[in-house]
Amino acid sequence: MTETSTVRGTADIGVTGLAVMGANLARNFARHGYTVALHNRSRAKTDALVAEHGHEGSFVATETLEELVGSLASPRRVLIMVKAGAPVDAVIDQLVPLLDEGDIVIDAGNSHYEDTRRREAALAEKGLHFVGVGVSGGEEGALNGPAIMPGGPEESYAALGPLLEDIAASYDGEPCCAWIGTDGAGHYVKMVHNGIEYADMEVIGEAFDLLRRVAGIEPAEQAQVFDAWNQTELASYLIEITAEVLQQVDAATGAPLVDVIVDEAGQKGTGRWTAISGLDVGSPVAAIAESVFARSLSAQTEVRATAREVLAAGVESAPAVSPQDRDAFVEDVRQALFASKLVAYAQGLDMLSAAAIEYGWALDLGTIASLWRDGCIIRADLLDVIMKAFGGRDTSRHPEPGTRAEGQPLNLLFAPEFAQAMAEALPAWRRVVGAAVAAGVPVPVFSSALAYYDGLRADRLPAALIQGQRDFFGAHTYRRTDRDGSFHTLWSGDRTEVDGDGAPVVMPQPAEGDPTDETAR
């Protein structure tokens, strides 16, 4: 039943901000039997939702935030779904005087995690709970079941969690929703999800480009290739919709729709935030960062147009794959795509571990991976294996803040099943990156992911030379492989070595009988 006047104290949750995402979340709550109070700055959207979807459940239409708060049962739960940034702060400022101790304010938009941490601390001083909730799945997910990543005070989850779990997607009977961690943890995990999403989309695009420019496979036929790949370990929502997009024909021109779409990728900032935060916490999320840079490069249309006129290709023509070799090349690209995708997940999860230390969060990677198995954009069969690699899902288990749960691998790629998968894909991966370079086809994430893999396994990295350079021009010191402490070479003097305090280094004397002892020779 739909109420069009305020009924005080009966609604289970209030939603303010009724654009598509907010409206769909409100409808999702109502479909699950909750009474939902509605508010929007413009009353017209409230009335339109009630008129079109009032039959879906119980709604309470309100005119003002005062009416919205007054219509809610205690503890009051108010979900804000407005544009991130100042608009969220404005709504919070209006809500706070209307709320009582123990009430819960929920921000389900794509807010920056630092804003969420600030807001949570400010509202805690007033006795209120502030919960930053990551929601993934787009408009359809919001209505039919998204992946939900709530942070905030753990005690608030007792009152809010059951509602969120009811409306979330479900995988094998488990809701794709669980408490993530304190203050900004929920929004941080959603941000990293989006960073992985950026990389996943980019490597799929690179695979498409290679299949077309090197193997000559046109979009309609590629749709069949991606559809077949969706029956392998690559099975995922993004692979599935890629096949759908590639088979679409433009009605106006008869050309593949992908050829009519301008090759300039948009972004809303979460991928960029992931790359920046990776630098802040010292986590090498190079593949994710490259996917963000690839979108930025695509947007430099004027620069690209000039480059096509003045920059040499360095290749006489793209090396064509012969018909008899085409199937083998397609399989190579599939394996390279899978390996690069794994690296993106590995980098994202490594970043979460680093952030847990930086911000004192109790992040359980197995549980986080379980939330992404359905409802969200990066949902994939692979996530079930990732979840198990980190010890499975146990929402009652939380590691000590800033630590990794016992038994979890230091890096996703070290889990036995993935170490083996990478070893098997490696020859194909190297062939694909080599073929792309020879053909002049840009594959920033394929190549960056491979460089990350090789960097992890390298016996020595050129960082030793970089430390020598830093010491030369800035006296930044270096550490040695054979002794503890820090050292500096007097580059502008006699080039002797001093310790970190500037004292001359006394070289250890060789033991008697040591081959380096001149007297023993």
Side-chain angles (χ1 to χ4, degrees):
M1 184 183 82
T2 299
E3 301 285 347
T4 55
S5 61
T6 304
V7 179
R8 299 186 64 83
T10 61
D12 299 295
I13 190 165
V15 178
T16 179
L18 300 177
V20 176
M21 286 292 290
N24 282 2
L25 285 172
R27 292 170 59 195
N28 195 346
F29 281 118
R31 288 178 174 186
H32 283 83
Y34 295 105
T35 298
V36 184
L38 305 173
H39 171 264
N40 194 73
R41 186 174 59 177
S42 164
R43 176 62 189 254
K45 286 191 175 181
T46 305
D47 293 340
L49 191 154
V50 170
E52 294 178 37
H53 305 291
H55 63 280
E56 294 181 339
S58 179
F59 296 102
V60 177
T62 68
E63 185 84 31
T64 65
L65 284 175
E66 289 84 354
E67 289 182 3
L68 179 77
V69 170
S71 71
L72 298 173
S74 184
R76 298 181 178 98
R77 292 163 288 212
V78 183
L79 187 148
I80 301 171
M81 186 55 86
V82 300
K83 185 177 180 181
V88 176
D89 286 320
V91 174
I92 291 172
D93 289 344
Q94 295 174 64
L95 277 173
V96 166
L98 309 174
L99 299 174
D100 296 327
E101 185 173 346
D103 288 346
I104 305 170
V105 178
I106 308 126
D107 175 13
N110 272 334
S111 288
H112 192 273
Y113 69 95
E114 289 286 14
D115 286 340
T116 304
R117 300 184 77 213
R118 168 179 56 80
R119 292 162 182 156
E120 194 274 338
L123 267 65
E125 292 180 356
K126 303 177 185 298
L128 302 173
H129 297 303
F130 185 80
V131 178
V133 176
V135 178
S136 178
E139 298 172 9
E140 182 180 348
L143 181 61
N144 297 316
I148 304 179
M149 295 149 267
E154 186 173 10
E155 58 266 32
S156 69
Y157 197 74
L160 179 62
L163 280 74
L164 297 180
E165 290 181 11
D166 278 351
I167 71 164
S170 178
Y171 185 92
D172 283 349
E174 292 182 323
C176 294
C177 174
W179 181 70
I180 294 295
T182 54
D183 53 72
H187 275 143
Y188 195 94
V189 169
K190 172 55 169 33
M191 177 191 76
V192 172
H193 163 284
N194 284 20
I196 295 171
E197 176 187 313
Y198 271 54
D200 204 346
M201 295 174 72
E202 173 63 21
V203 291
I204 291 172
E206 291 174 17
F208 157 74
D209 207 21
L210 282 166
L211 291 179
R212 193 175 202 186
R213 294 173 61 182
V214 177
I217 305 175
E218 293 302 312
E221 188 177 354
Q222 282 205 43
Q224 299 175 31
V225 170
F226 277 92
D227 189 57
W229 285 356
N230 202 40
Q231 312 308 313
T232 71
E233 66 267 34
L234 280 173
S236 64
Y237 173 71
L238 285 172
I239 293 291
E240 177 186 342
I241 67 170
T242 297
E244 295 281 348
V245 172
L246 290 176
Q247 72 180 1
Q248 184 69 20
V249 175
D250 176 53
T253 64
L257 179 63
V258 71
D259 288 346
V260 179
I261 298 173
V262 174
D263 62 335
E264 180 181 344
Q267 54 180 302
K268 292 188 176 180
T270 47
R272 175 170 52 84
W273 293 347
T274 307
I276 293 171
S277 183
L279 293 171
D280 289 339
V281 301
S283 183
V285 289
I288 293 173
E290 285 292 352
S291 69
V292 178
F293 296 145
R295 293 195 187 192
S296 299
L297 179 62
S298 76
Q300 293 189 324
T301 52
E302 183 178 356
V303 175
R304 290 170 56 207
T306 303
R308 287 192 292 272
E309 296 177 1
V310 303
L311 297 183
V315 292
E316 292 185 6
S317 62
V321 172
S322 64
Q324 59 267 33
D325 293 334
R326 200 177 74 159
D327 288 348
F329 182 74
V330 169
E331 175 58 17
D332 277 359
V333 173
R334 186 190 71 81
Q335 292 193 53
L337 174 56
F338 180 69
S340 300
K341 182 186 183 84
L342 270 181
V343 166
Y345 279 99
Q347 290 181 356
L349 294 169
D350 179 77
M351 180 174 168
L352 290 178
S353 294
I357 296 171
E358 178 75 17
Y359 301 112
W361 292 329
L363 301 183
D364 184 79
L365 301 184
T367 296
I368 290 170
S370 78
L371 306 187
W372 296 342
R373 291 178 297 170
D374 203 356
C376 68
I377 303 303
I378 65 170
R379 60 185 183 266
D381 289 0
L382 172 67
L383 278 156
D384 202 36
V385 187
I386 292 175
M387 180 197 75
K388 293 171 183 174
F390 284 101
R393 171 174 174 149
D394 183 354
T395 56
S396 66
R397 175 194 68 192
H398 292 291
E400 288 297 312
T403 66
R404 187 187 299 273
E406 186 177 355
Q408 293 188 347
L410 286 175
N411 187 292
L412 174 66
L413 303 182
F414 301 165
E417 52 269 67
F418 292 127
Q420 180 63 32
M422 296 298 276
E424 293 173 357
L426 197 55
W429 197 7
R430 295 194 189 282
R431 287 193 295 268
V432 165
V433 171
V437 172
V441 177
V443 286
V445 177
F446 271 20
S447 55
S448 174
L450 180 57
Y452 172 82
Y453 178 89
D454 284 336
L456 285 179
R457 52 168 293 280
D459 183 45
R460 289 276 291 174
L461 292 171
L465 175 59
I466 292 170
Q467 283 301 93
Q469 293 169 332
R470 294 180 72 241
D471 189 62
F472 190 105
F473 64 69
H476 293 293
T477 75
Y478 51 82
R479 290 182 294 116
R480 295 177 59 101
T481 60
D482 55 354
R483 296 196 297 277
D484 292 335
S486 60
F487 301 89
H488 166 59
T489 292
L490 301 175
W491 299 104
S492 299
D494 61 5
R495 300 206 171 189
T496 57
E497 190 174 62
V498 297
D499 65 20
D501 296 323
V505 173
V506 178
M507 298 298 292
Q509 296 299 314
E512 186 175 350
D514 189 303
T516 60
D517 185 352
E518 292 292 337
T519 63
R521 295 184 181 178

